[in-house]
Amino acid sequence: MNLNPVLVSSTACEPMRILIANRGEIARRVIRTASALGHDTVAVYADPDAWAPHVAEATCSYRIGPAQLAESYLSIERLLAAAAETAADAVHPGYGFLSENAPFAQAVLDTGLIWIGPSPQAITAMGSKIEARQLAKSAGVPVIPGFAESQSDDDLRTAAVEIGFPVLIKASAGGGGKGIRIARSDDEFSQALGEARQEGERSFANADMIVERYIERPRHVEVQVVGDTHGTVIDLGTRECSVQRRYQKLFEEAPAPNLPDTTHRSLRKSAVALADSIGYESTGTVEFIVDDDDPESFFFLEMNTRLQVEHPVTELVTGLDLVELQIRVAAGEPLGMAQDDIRLSGHAIEARINAENAADGFAPQIGTVTHLEVPPGCRWDSGIEVGSEISLHYDPMIAKLIVLSDDRAGAMQELADALDRLLIGGVVTNTGLHRWLLDRPEVVAGRVTTRLLDEISVSDNSSAAAEVAASAWWIDTGRSIGSPWHDLGTSGFTPHRHRRPLFLRDFTGEVHEVDSTSSNEPQGAFHVDVVNRRVVVNLSGQSHTFLVIPRSEHWAPHVGTGGGPANAVVAPFPGVVSDVLVESGRAVLGGDPVVVIEAMKMLHTLVTAGPGVVDEVRASPGDTVMTDQVLVTFVQEEAVERS
Ligand code: ADP
Ligand code: ADP
Ligand code: MG
């Protein structure tokens, strides 16, 4: 099977110098195709990325600024300066960052450069969910029953009552799952609206909201479209993206399984009708909700006017290179294919590999990649290599693992095998979650709704994994000459029973003490890094990273999502304080939210571990905080009463 898209033609349009206004996996993906077509590429980078793979792979590179996004990858001014100074002919925005930013697209065009994306008009029209809804209606595409005709709180509330609860309140300018709240009853409405408005204002500088019927069992199905400047718009089939966490996709497949033929056809027709109605001239995605309780009915959700993270699954089943199509149509070439030329074959699945801890509320993780083993036979689109720093500045998505097979069952099996053999050392990732998901009956059956991860809790088998990790450590250090554990009195291998207990700290901060008699021989893949004292094991597909700690350190403070009742709530990872919800003197119960931290583009609410009274608040919104930094301290209630 060919896992890489095939170029439609190996002769490039006029060779260009293309600046890629992005980083990581995204920039590498664009560079790959642009180079294959014979174009020069310009990588831009912020300081933490100076040694990143995308910089090394481009024809030339340009420093755009410090780590802060606003002063680097999101700075239109800096990007335009980079384009001017490197004599670029064209700009590819990648996905994320400024890819759906109409002023950026316009600025690029105004400078006389080629913009490898849809027109600024199309971006603007679809960037507002309110306007997009209107366009969809006009194109005859069904929209979710909802209301956005007025922005007064009272009108939105009246509309919610008419639509019937539960309703979803969504930021019109939203993206990446931000600014979305459910209101299950009239009582919840005001608070949910307030929160959504606040998040919309903070993230998108726009507090306009849509109130929609909340579909209880939604499936997220989307259609890839592509258009050119000669009036052709076609679709490249469907993708299922229902496995999500916090409204963000984790796992995508093409084509969408278990859809009635009629729905499948109507979805594709609707997507093309909408794209056609706005004269769409690039790659784009029309997202829909299919009601699992009634799979004949589907509704328009939004249109993303860019290439999407999950585009590889479409590339694998169509054999087309979507970046090539983008570049060619941006250069004014006709698509050169009609709807009837599109053949879909096989089934492809993508797993988004994020540096995050699924067993701890998807908390983002940072670290240095100490080890990387990617199994052969799958497509690996990544932004990392051994030595890469995963920092808090950027998106937690570090790679994508994509497989193709003749049918869905085959693809599921291939992905499972690949995940079992994939080893990423030094940073906790969600590969274990993916492997575990592949065994869930709903996923096996292809009957997933976007609620899946709300409904099931992620099991934690870290104690068993610690035993396996200890064995791996003993085996490895027993063999390797020069390791601190090497016992010269034996022939390179010391039976486990002679070992002292080993202390292993897992990613939540919990310390596991493993007795040499209780440890299990490792069955799956493992990696031991003696220098950095890290052990990575894959246990039944879940990957765990442990730090081997000296005996004297095994009392290390607990790092979790909240502190003890009498002491403090500390930052479990580095980030920026986005909200402080308590003030000195406030009485709290266990589980009360106290501080919200933003890290890697997600909001994380830190809660109290038990009852107490807030003593000192040591953080304010906007503060950058480091791991273990004390944010709020508490005194116990008795102590307060006595004083
Ligand atoms: P999708 O997942 O449907 O492709 P998203 O809206 O989640 O679309 O965004 C696409 C990519 O861009 C993802 O990697 C996402 O994390 C990233 N992204 C989204 N919003 C931003 C932003 N404001 N800044 C930087 N990256 C972003
Ligand atoms: P974003 O711009 O963040 O991608 P979307 O409008 O695409 O926002 O919605 C993101 C996700 O939220 C969807 O994939 C789906 O899981 C959920 N969602 C959106 N609208 C609804 C709805 N009316 N009912 C149920 N779930 C919804
Ligand atoms: Mg969306």
Side-chain angles (χ1 to χ4, degrees), residues 90 105 115 202 333 343 375 470 503 622:
W115 167 253
R202 193 167 45 213
E333 284 188 29
R343 294 272 170 275
F503 292 97

Side-chain angles (χ1 to χ4, degrees), residues 243-517:
V243 179
Q244 304 185 344
R245 60 117 174 77
R246 302 188 177 183
Y247 305 115
Q248 293 184 41
K249 300 158 192 163
L250 267 189
F251 180 100
E252 303 102 345
E253 39 187 312
N258 294 327
L259 274 185
D261 275 354
T262 47
T263 311
H264 215 267
R265 273 197 301 273
S266 310
L267 283 168
R268 294 176 66 176
K269 278 214 179 87
S270 298
V272 171
L274 176 60
D276 207 17
S277 76
I278 58 164
Y280 199 72
E281 300 171 345
S282 187
T283 60
T285 295
V286 184
E287 299 187 328
F288 297 92
I289 284 214
V290 173
D291 189 345
D292 193 46
D293 290 328
D294 171 19
E296 306 268 314
S297 68
F298 64 86
F299 309 98
F300 168 76
L301 197 54
E302 66 165 341
M303 177 165 185
N304 292 326
T305 50
R306 54 176 159 83
L307 190 67
Q308 254 172 310
V309 172
E310 58 273 25
H311 75 276
V313 291
T314 298
E315 292 189 325
L316 294 193
V317 298
T318 57
L320 295 168
D321 184 314
L322 296 190
V323 176
E324 178 191 9
L325 298 183
Q326 283 189 304
I327 295 175
R328 288 187 184 283
V329 299
E333 284 188 29
L335 260 184
M337 57 186 104
Q339 190 67 61
D340 286 347
D341 297 326
I342 304 305
R343 294 272 170 275
L344 303 175
S345 73
H347 196 92
I349 310 183
E350 170 181 282
R352 295 192 189 195
I353 312 293
N354 296 335
E356 65 189 15
N357 180 2
D360 185 20
F362 302 103
Q365 306 290 311
I366 59 172
T368 305
V369 178
T370 53
H371 183 79
L372 185 61
E373 261 175 58
V374 181
C378 50
R379 176 166 161 185
W380 175 251
D381 283 16
S382 92
I384 55 163
E385 47 194 30
V386 171
S388 292
E389 270 310 315
I390 314 291
S391 77
L392 74 143
H393 299 293
Y394 309 117
D395 198 87
M397 197 186 80
I398 54 175
K400 303 179 306 198
L401 184 65
I402 312 122
V403 297
L404 172 68
S405 191
D406 292 333
D407 55 21
R408 186 168 188 273
M412 296 277 288
Q413 189 55 54
E414 285 203 21
L415 184 59
D417 290 346
L419 286 165
D420 280 344
R421 285 174 296 147
L422 174 68
L423 278 180
I424 303 174
V427 61
V428 175
T429 69
N430 63 351
T431 50
L433 173 67
H434 279 299
R435 182 60 187 81
W436 177 80
L437 276 169
L438 287 175
D439 288 336
R440 307 275 63 77
E442 307 89 324
V443 179
V444 172
R447 292 240 84 102
V448 171
T449 73
T450 62
R451 310 272 312 276
L452 179 72
L453 284 175
D454 305 336
E455 287 163 355
I456 52 185
S457 66
V458 179
S459 64
D460 179 13
N461 61 357
S462 60
S463 300
E467 292 186 5
V468 176
S471 288
W473 175 268
W474 281 319
I475 291 170
D476 195 80
T477 53
R479 282 194 194 128
S480 45
I481 305 297
S483 90
W485 297 74
H486 186 56
D487 183 352
L488 290 171
T490 69
S491 56
F493 181 77
T494 310
H496 296 171
R497 63 180 181 282
H498 293 158
R499 301 288 183 200
R500 289 196 191 164
L502 195 64
F503 292 97
L504 297 153
R505 182 151 68 219
D506 70 20
F507 47 71
T508 66
E510 192 184 335
V511 175
H512 304 260
E513 176 180 347
V514 184
D515 192 301
S516 59
T517 51

Side-chain angles (χ1 to χ4, degrees), residues 45 81 86 103 150 196 228 291 309 332 377-378 435 451 483 534 543 580:
Y45 64 92
T86 57
S150 143
D228 64 15
D291 189 345
V309 172
C378 50
R435 182 60 187 81
R451 310 272 312 276
S483 90
R534 280 180 200 276
S543 89
V580 177

Side-chain angles (χ1 to χ4, degrees), residues 129 168 170 175-177 212-213 215 220 244 247 287 302 450:
K129 290 188 188 190
L168 200 69
K170 284 205 292 206
E212 280 178 357
R213 190 174 111 210
I215 314 285
H220 177 119
Q244 304 185 344
Y247 305 115
E287 299 187 328
E302 66 165 341
T450 62

Side-chain angles (χ1 to χ4, degrees), residues 552-637:
S552 57
E553 270 181 36
H554 73 264
W555 47 265
H558 176 77
V559 181
T561 45
N567 42 49
V569 163
V570 299
F573 37 75
V576 176
V577 175
S578 102
D579 224 343
V580 177
L581 309 167
V582 293
E583 61 292 313
S584 176
R586 163 96 73 97
V588 291
L589 297 171
D592 280 359
V594 282
V595 175
V596 183
I597 296 194
E598 175 161 357
M600 292 185 177
K601 303 206 338 284
M602 293 233 292
L603 296 175
H604 303 268
T605 304
L606 308 184
V607 300
T608 51
V613 171
V614 175
D615 185 18
E616 237 186 291
V617 176
R618 300 195 195 161
S620 348
D623 289 357
T624 299
V625 293
M626 299 315 296
T627 304
D628 283 352
Q629 187 170 330
V630 174
L631 307 177
V632 178
T633 61
F634 301 91
V635 286
Q636 269 164 335
E637 237 156 325

Side-chain angles (χ1 to χ4, degrees), residues 3-250:
L3 289 169
N4 284 308
V6 184
L7 299 178
V8 171
S9 155
S10 55
T11 53
C13 37
E14 280 295 289
M16 299 187 279
R17 174 170 284 227
I18 302 175
L19 179 138
I20 297 124
N22 220 296
R23 64 180 298 280
E25 170 267 324
I26 303 168
R28 293 180 93 184
R29 170 69 194 89
V30 177
I31 291 169
R32 206 160 80 209
T33 294
S35 311
L37 286 169
H39 301 297
D40 272 357
T41 53
V42 180
V44 291
Y45 64 92
D47 291 336
D49 284 336
W51 302 102
H54 80 271
V55 177
E57 286 163 9
T59 319
C60 62
S61 62
Y62 185 94
R63 176 187 177 273
I64 36 167
Q68 285 67 28
L69 283 173
E71 295 157 54
S72 59
Y73 296 106
L74 296 181
S75 164
I76 293 179
E77 197 187 321
R78 296 293 300 141
L79 291 163
L80 291 179
E85 284 180 44
T86 57
D89 306 299
V91 173
H92 191 301
Y95 29 93
F97 289 156
L98 296 175
S99 60
E100 290 178 289
N101 186 298
F104 181 48
Q106 191 60 57
V108 167
L109 292 168
D110 290 347
T111 324
L113 300 176
I114 294 175
W115 167 253
I116 305 179
S119 69
Q121 293 72 25
I123 298 176
T124 305
M126 292 300 170
S128 151
K129 290 188 188 190
I130 294 178
E131 195 177 331
R133 253 180 86 85
Q134 216 38 59
L135 288 166
K137 272 194 200 169
S138 316
V141 178
V143 300
I144 304 174
F147 176 86
E149 278 69 31
S150 143
Q151 281 303 319
S152 95
D153 286 13
D154 281 345
D155 289 350
L156 288 169
R157 181 170 176 175
T158 309
V161 173
E162 261 165 42
I163 292 164
F165 290 97
V167 295
L168 200 69
I169 305 168
K170 284 205 292 206
S172 176
K178 277 194 183 170
I180 297 184
R181 288 289 183 284
I182 301 177
R184 296 214 158 263
S185 65
D186 202 358
D187 295 342
E188 287 179 18
F189 189 80
S190 297
Q191 189 180 345
L193 179 63
E195 286 174 13
R197 280 214 203 271
Q198 206 185 345
E199 208 166 291
E201 186 58 57
R202 193 167 45 213
S203 303
F204 316 106
N206 183 333
D208 287 356
M209 293 292 147
I210 303 184
V211 174
E212 280 178 357
R213 190 174 111 210
Y214 179 68
I215 314 285
E216 289 280 3
R217 299 190 43 77
R219 284 174 64 183
H220 177 119
V221 180
E222 58 187 34
V223 179
Q224 176 72 52
V225 295
V226 57
D228 64 15
T229 53
H230 303 265
T232 303
V233 179
I234 61 175
D235 83 83
L236 304 179
T238 55
R239 292 187 289 251
E240 169 96 37
C241 312
S242 297
V243 179
Q244 304 185 344
R245 60 117 174 77
R246 302 188 177 183
Y247 305 115
Q248 293 184 41
K249 300 158 192 163
L250 267 189

